[in-house]
Amino acid sequence: MAQYDGSEIRRDYRTGFFSIIVPGRSQRPHELEEDRGAQDLSKCPFEPQNIEENLKIMHVGEPWEIMTIKNKFPELNGETPLDKKSGFLSSISGYGYNEVVIESPDHNLKLEDMDIKHLDKWLGVLIEREEQLYSRNYIKYVQIFRNFGADAGASIGHPHTQIMAWPIMIGNIKRRAKITSSYRLKKGSCIYEDAIKIEEPRRLYENGSFSSFAPFASRMTAESIIIPKRHVSSLIELSQKEREDLLDEFKRIISINKAIFGGHSYNILFYELKKNEDFHMHFEIYPRLSTLAGVELGQNVFVNTIEPEKYSQDFRARLESV
Ligand SMILES: [Zn+2]
Ligand SMILES: [Zn+2]
């Protein structure tokens, strides 16, 4: 039986990992399954005429070009902030916010085909929502991610990005912040700036303000990381030129991956922290070319069947031919 109103974040006493228990989420729509056959847009909840009025938060353009709504099926829907239980069965109420940024009224528009001007508005919306969510009580971390395709966990085919505002900083971001700080303490430098130099043999693409590469120990096949050359910890610190260079990276990586692997699902993950001197913002793109199986689940060790060196070589060959 649930201990709080709504969802709860539970910590596993065996591993220290966390899960969110979300009652009722299995009832959400699965429009993507239908997307694979004949497309029936009347069922898409992100079509302009289908968006429920009470979910709308803000939009850009008239008629709207980008629309932000509340997620109708939020993972974080707790009503009791800071309510926690410690001990063997430790947990905290899943208090927080889930928002969806619908990137275009056009169901079939792909991120790689959006122009930089439109994508810059999208980035502007993400920054604005993030600032808004950070200003609310009890919010410790705002996460941005984009799932594209059923194999990446997207249940709706219409292009969208998700924002989750968490009541505690846990998981990957906490681990990365900790490693970045301890590296600086030990070596006196920034681990991500050092990575840009050391990962040179696996470089994908470099422009004026960003560098991307296939990480040495990539977990996913054709995984990439995008790092700003300047030491910044969050999106809001980027100049206009840097914003455009980041979007250039996203577009190039996604379209070249598509050229190499054909149409596929992928996730874009944003790793940023507000007002953190040590942290160096970065982004990852994970093509979902294989499913997680026994080794991954049993050992939390990932099997990657294409050497990052080979992937980066193939990638650069495509880059030159563009
Ligand atoms: Zn749609
Ligand atoms: Zn740095």
Side-chain angles (χ1 to χ4, degrees):
M1 206 178 74
Q3 309 182 68
Y4 314 100
D5 295 327
S7 65
E8 60 181 294
I9 301 169
R10 294 182 177 179
R11 185 178 174 281
D12 190 331
Y13 52 84
R14 298 165 297 174
T15 59
F17 294 150
F18 291 84
S19 309
I20 313 181
I21 313 296
V22 192
R25 200 172 146 83
S26 60
Q27 289 150 22
R28 72 193 171 130
H30 278 278
E31 177 246 335
L32 260 190
E33 287 156 20
E34 287 143 32
D35 244 22
R36 285 172 172 155
Q39 223 178 47
D40 182 2
L41 295 187
S42 69
K43 287 189 184 137
C44 171
F46 298 164
E47 289 302 301
Q49 68 279 12
N50 294 348
I51 298 173
E52 294 175 32
E53 279 307 316
N54 62 343
L55 296 178
K56 290 181 180 173
I57 297 172
M58 63 163 280
H59 65 272
V60 170
E62 282 312 335
W64 68 266
E65 296 168 66
I66 297 170
M67 168 72 80
T68 306
I69 62 170
K70 293 180 196 159
N71 189 327
K72 200 177 175 186
F73 300 92
E75 284 102 348
L76 294 171
N77 60 12
E79 287 167 14
T80 44
L82 301 183
D83 195 0
K84 55 173 106 172
K85 310 253 186 300
S86 42
F88 197 86
L89 301 180
S90 103
S91 67
I92 178 170
S93 161
Y95 182 85
Y97 302 92
N98 287 71
E99 297 185 356
V100 178
V101 177
I102 305 168
E103 296 159 11
S104 165
D106 180 354
H107 188 95
N108 293 308
L109 187 60
K110 302 279 182 281
L111 188 144
E112 62 272 27
D113 299 324
M114 295 177 195
D115 61 38
I116 295 281
K117 210 174 139 202
H118 182 83
L119 284 169
D120 190 62
K121 289 180 190 168
W122 164 68
L123 218 48
V125 169
L126 296 179
I127 292 169
E128 193 175 330
R129 292 317 304 154
E130 202 173 47
E131 290 295 292
Q132 228 294 313
L133 290 164
Y134 267 121
S135 75
R136 296 186 188 175
N137 290 332
Y138 316 116
I139 295 307
K140 298 286 186 317
Y141 172 56
V142 179
Q143 181 199 4
I144 299 176
F145 58 96
R146 185 180 197 271
N147 302 335
F148 174 80
D151 293 333
S155 53
I156 290 166
H158 202 115
H160 66 282
T161 311
Q162 298 189 58
I163 307 178
M164 254 173 107
W166 296 74
I168 35 168
M169 202 173 93
I170 52 173
N172 238 336
I173 188 73
K174 187 177 179 188
R175 186 176 169 80
R176 287 175 191 222
K178 204 170 150 191
I179 289 175
T180 307
S181 296
S182 55
Y183 186 91
R184 181 177 293 281
L185 211 60
K186 216 165 123 190
K187 308 256 185 186
S189 59
C190 169
I191 193 168
Y192 289 94
E193 282 156 58
D194 288 356
I196 290 176
K197 290 175 229 149
I198 295 166
E199 295 274 20
E200 177 60 23
R202 284 166 294 278
R203 180 169 45 77
L204 298 175
Y205 173 63
E206 184 181 14
N207 58 29
S209 10
F210 281 80
S211 189
S212 58
F213 50 84
F216 174 69
S218 295
R219 300 198 302 169
M220 295 279 184
T221 299
E223 170 182 333
S224 57
I225 184 168
I226 305 169
I227 305 181
K229 293 180 184 173
R230 196 161 66 86
H231 186 80
V232 287
S233 70
S234 62
L235 282 174
I236 198 167
E237 296 165 64
L238 295 181
S239 69
Q240 186 57 37
K241 173 74 171 70
E242 287 171 323
R243 281 166 65 146
E244 286 168 18
D245 282 351
L246 171 62
L247 297 169
D248 173 40
E249 286 275 2
F250 281 153
K251 274 177 71 113
R252 258 176 227 265
I253 293 173
I254 291 163
S255 48
I256 291 180
N257 281 350
K258 198 166 153 183
I260 299 176
F261 303 107
H264 61 275
S265 300
Y266 63 83
N267 305 97
I268 304 181
L269 309 168
F270 288 55
Y271 295 96
E272 43 164 352
L273 278 182
K274 269 194 74 157
K275 298 186 190 88
N276 183 301
E277 281 179 17
D278 283 347
F279 197 68
H280 194 120
M281 172 172 67
H282 55 282
F283 308 85
E284 287 173 347
I285 301 180
Y286 280 26
R288 301 300 296 273
L289 303 166
S290 55
T291 48
L292 305 184
V295 186
E296 288 81 3
L297 296 172
Q299 274 292 65
N300 201 16
V301 173
F302 284 63
V303 178
N304 179 347
T305 52
I306 301 178
E307 307 101 284
E309 291 75 14
K310 165 96 174 58
Y311 164 58
S312 71
Q313 208 177 359
D314 292 349
F315 187 99
R316 288 196 306 269
R318 299 267 178 176
L319 201 55
E320 280 146 26
S321 70
V322 169

